[in-house]
Amino acid sequence: MKRQIWIATLLYTISMMVLFGLLYMFLNSQISFILIIFLLLVLSLGFGYILSSYILSQKFRIDESLLHLTKEILHELNIPISTIQANSTLLKRALKDDEKALVRLGRIDDASKRLERLYMELIYSIKKEIHSVEKEQVDVEMLIKERCDILKLQKRNEFILDIEPFDICVDRIGFEKMLDNILINAMKYSDKNSPITIKLDDNIISIKDSGVGMDEVELITIYERYYQADYHVSGEGIGLALVKAYCDDEKIRIDISSQKGVGTVVRLDLLNVKMKS
């Protein structure tokens, strides 16, 4: 890419030299000032178009190649995921009397479902880069129960729900990813025997844990990419950065309060995405 930048810079420099040379010639020949300006404008537009076309064409070619490669990889990924799930189902039937084997197959099945989820999220991220994702009506109660049921497979924290039907209009997959990040953080930084409470009241979802918590200094930097409250806990430290980005896009106000050694509460104000009655 550096080579293209240097070539573009050289072309621009030459074009400017030519323009100033023509201007000097026109001034010496006492041609109308308006005509000079008009000619310079036409030449500038011509050089600008050529320059932009050259630079952008390189970028478009690279983007198209990457998109084509990504589509091929995604297609190839879908085949082994489907194969694992199909054979897992067949083995469960064949080994229905072998409890140990069924437990192992259950782990394989859970892992394949998580892999499938990652696959769907990758497709979603690529589509979102290409064009805007359509929003749809979502029942928050059903979605939260669905995500909690999936996370319960990890056999960690209990989820205490105090929610009711509540319709919103959002990018569904993005909302699921955002919610998953918050719930996984609550689990990650809590003792596995401590419950996580999810409550919906007056357009606001509150997710409360009894984990390690954060002090005021940590609260200032929690949305920074790669920040982690506890470096002894595995993870990339980008979860809350993605949560904040999604909330900003959807106009969902997010508020996090925490106390060291007591726990954390994440509040999501859904007023701006609430379905109008």
Side-chain angles (χ1 to χ4, degrees), residues 29-213:
S29 59
Q30 297 181 349
I31 296 177
S32 165
F33 179 74
I34 296 176
L35 180 59
I36 293 172
I37 296 299
F38 175 76
L39 290 172
L40 284 174
L41 180 61
V42 171
L43 289 170
S44 296
L45 289 172
F47 279 117
Y49 176 79
I50 295 169
L51 195 62
S52 299
S53 298
Y54 175 78
I55 296 172
L56 292 175
S57 64
Q58 304 296 319
K59 183 180 183 303
F60 288 148
R61 277 197 291 270
I62 293 170
D63 287 348
E64 285 178 1
S65 298
L66 285 173
L67 183 59
H68 179 70
L69 178 63
T70 305
K71 285 181 177 179
E72 287 186 345
I73 292 172
L74 287 174
H75 176 70
E76 294 301 320
L77 273 176
N78 190 33
I79 295 172
I81 291 173
S82 301
T83 303
I84 291 169
Q85 291 179 342
N87 283 277
S88 177
T89 302
L90 292 172
L91 285 170
K92 281 181 181 179
R93 294 173 185 170
L95 302 171
K96 58 184 178 181
D97 297 324
D98 190 337
E99 291 185 5
K100 288 185 177 180
L102 288 174
V103 170
R104 295 189 184 102
L105 281 171
R107 292 171 186 159
I108 293 172
D109 197 37
D110 291 344
S112 69
K113 286 177 181 177
R114 287 197 293 273
L115 184 59
E116 183 182 29
R117 177 69 186 173
L118 290 171
Y119 169 78
M120 296 302 296
E121 287 182 359
L122 181 57
I123 292 177
Y124 158 78
S125 298
I126 292 170
K127 286 181 177 179
K128 192 173 181 180
E129 287 296 321
I130 298 172
H131 52 75
S132 59
V133 178
E134 289 187 10
K135 296 183 180 182
E136 56 183 291
Q137 183 174 340
V138 177
D139 181 355
V140 173
E141 181 190 28
M142 295 299 295
L143 188 143
I144 290 175
K145 286 181 177 178
E146 176 188 313
R147 305 317 302 164
C148 288
D149 286 342
I150 291 173
L151 292 174
K152 283 178 184 175
L153 295 174
Q154 298 184 26
K155 294 179 171 57
R156 278 186 54 91
N157 308 74
E158 177 190 1
F159 292 98
I160 300 174
L161 306 182
D162 181 10
I163 51 179
E164 57 187 22
F166 186 86
D167 290 335
I168 58 176
C169 184
V170 291
D171 162 9
R172 180 188 176 92
I173 296 180
F175 192 90
E176 288 179 358
K177 288 176 66 178
M178 180 269 293
L179 184 63
D180 281 355
N181 270 302
I182 296 174
L183 294 175
I184 290 169
N185 268 346
M187 294 168 64
K188 188 188 297 182
Y189 294 106
S190 300
D191 183 270
K192 65 180 181 180
N193 295 316
S194 65
I196 294 168
T197 304
I198 305 173
K199 184 178 181 180
L200 175 60
D201 182 41
D202 193 24
N203 304 319
I204 296 176
I205 296 176
S206 60
I207 301 168
K208 181 181 179 181
D209 66 62
S210 303
V212 296

